[in-house]
């Protein structure tokens, strides 16, 4: 199962501080994952991708740059070279790839970038049904053959205008809710009982939407964490990084499949079947995805689906995080 990380900051970050330098960077997670649900396969050498936006904002041409490869992430010299030269205030990186560049995340349409950690259960059984619901603009965008790219096409179909020059946070949030609901509907129609793992992430360069979701009331979703503060920097050498918080401002927000540091206080686990929204003004909100698979925090069963795996692996035991909603979404 792939790993991903998204960085949003008030100032650009050098890509190497996310991709290569931290001792548990996204690249190192490709061969040393600690929180994969599939513990039999600790390595992911099937390619990778990174996307970023130019540091100079231009609404007319604010489209992401993408670098993908089918080689193992830890063995790509060009990635190391680029990471030490490129800076951006918003970065998406993932170890999701395959033997075809068309299947490497992140996927792009206009100013939107999308990536997925997980899998749509029995996808061939719902693929034709999903395709039938897509308008031409979404259907024709798909170049590869992964469930993830078709999920992105479905997401595009939920937007009033996927070619728009700007999107409100509420619009992106609602499109993500509808995407998950539609995938669940297709599965129910097809009689699929195997749960789907839907850790999705989408951004337009201003807003970030990420989900930690599984279509089950009992199984565990793929891991997802967040960290925020004023500076993210190396200390003591050896690739040891930490998130510092000098005041109440949030200059940096990161969402990742696995923590990039081993500092216990740096990271908090996102609750299962919740959506994380990072607004253009750097507010982070966690919103429950309330459907038939949602287990409220008041139910004792919700506790067994979040930190059990992390404790079992001897990793972080995060602090709690309150569920929030805000008019900021609009």
């Amino acid at each position: 199962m792939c790993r991903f990380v998204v960085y949003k900051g008030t100032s650009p970050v050098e890509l190497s501080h996310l991709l290569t330098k931290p001792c548990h960077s996204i690249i190192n997670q490709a061969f040393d994952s600690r929180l994969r649900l599939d513990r039999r396969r600790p390595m992911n050498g099937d390619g990778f991708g990174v996307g970023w936006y130019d540091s100079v904002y231009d609404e007319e041409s604010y489209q992401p740059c993408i670098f993908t490869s089918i080689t193992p992430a830890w063995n790509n010299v060009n990635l190391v070279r680029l990471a030490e030269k490129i800076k951006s205030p918003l970065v998406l990186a993932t170890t999701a790839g395959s033997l075809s560049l068309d299947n490497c995340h992140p996927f792009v349409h206009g100013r939107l970038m999308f990536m997925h950690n997980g899998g749509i259960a029995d996808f061939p059984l719902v693929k034709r049904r999903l395709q039938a619901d897509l308008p031409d603009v979404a259907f024709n965008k798909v170049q590869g053959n992964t469930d993830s790219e078709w999920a992105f096409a479905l997401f595009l179909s939920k937007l009033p205008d996927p070619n728009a020059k700007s999107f409100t946070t509420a619009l992106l949030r609602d499109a993500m809710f509808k995407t998950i609901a539609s995938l669940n509907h297709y599965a129910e129609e097809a009689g699929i009982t195997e749960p789907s793992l839907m850790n999705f992430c989408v951004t337009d360069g201003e807003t970030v939407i990420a989900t930690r979701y599984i279509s089950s009331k009992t199984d565990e979703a793929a891991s997802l964490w967040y960290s925020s503060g004023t500076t993210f920097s190396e200390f003591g050498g050896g690739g040891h990084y930490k998130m510092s918080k000098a005041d109440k401002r949030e200059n940096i927000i990161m969402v990742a499949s696995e923590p990039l540091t081993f500092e216990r206080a740096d990271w908090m686990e996102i609750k299962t079947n919740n959506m994380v929204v990072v607004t253009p003004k750097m507010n982070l909100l966690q919103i429950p995805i309330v459907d038939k698979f949602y287990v409220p925090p008041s139910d004792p069963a919700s506790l067994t689906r979040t930190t059990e795996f992390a404790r079992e692996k001897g990793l972080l035991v995060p602090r709690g995080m309150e569920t929030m909603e805000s008019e900021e979404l609009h």
Side-chain angles (χ1 to χ4, degrees), residues 61-99:
S61 60
Y62 195 53
Q63 295 184 348
C65 305
I66 299 292
F67 178 69
T68 57
S69 175
I70 60 174
T71 64
W74 61 84
N75 194 33
N76 191 292
V77 175
N78 286 329
L79 176 64
V80 176
R81 292 168 177 162
L82 290 171
E84 293 177 349
K85 300 298 181 182
I86 295 171
K87 294 183 178 181
S88 173
L90 205 161
V91 181
L92 268 64
T94 174
T95 60
S98 73
L99 297 180

Side-chain angles (χ1 to χ4, degrees), residues 63 109-112 137-138 141 156 159-167:
Q63 295 184 348
H109 179 82
R111 60 182 297 143
L112 296 168
V137 65
K141 185 64 185 178
L156 294 175
L159 296 169
D161 179 11
N163 295 317
K165 294 180 179 179
S166 64
F167 301 91

Side-chain angles (χ1 to χ4, degrees), residues 264-283:
R264 222 175 252 226
D266 282 0
W267 297 86
M268 286 180 276
E269 189 177 32
I270 294 167
K271 297 174 183 176
T272 295
N273 286 21
N274 272 246
M275 175 186 294
V276 169
V277 177
V278 183
T279 72
K281 293 184 178 180
M282 297 295 288
N283 292 322

Side-chain angles (χ1 to χ4, degrees), residues 237-251:
H240 295 285
Y241 277 67
K242 65 179 177 181
M243 180 73 76
S244 300
K245 196 171 181 68
D247 50 46
K248 293 183 179 180
R249 293 175 299 170
E250 304 289 8
N251 293 338

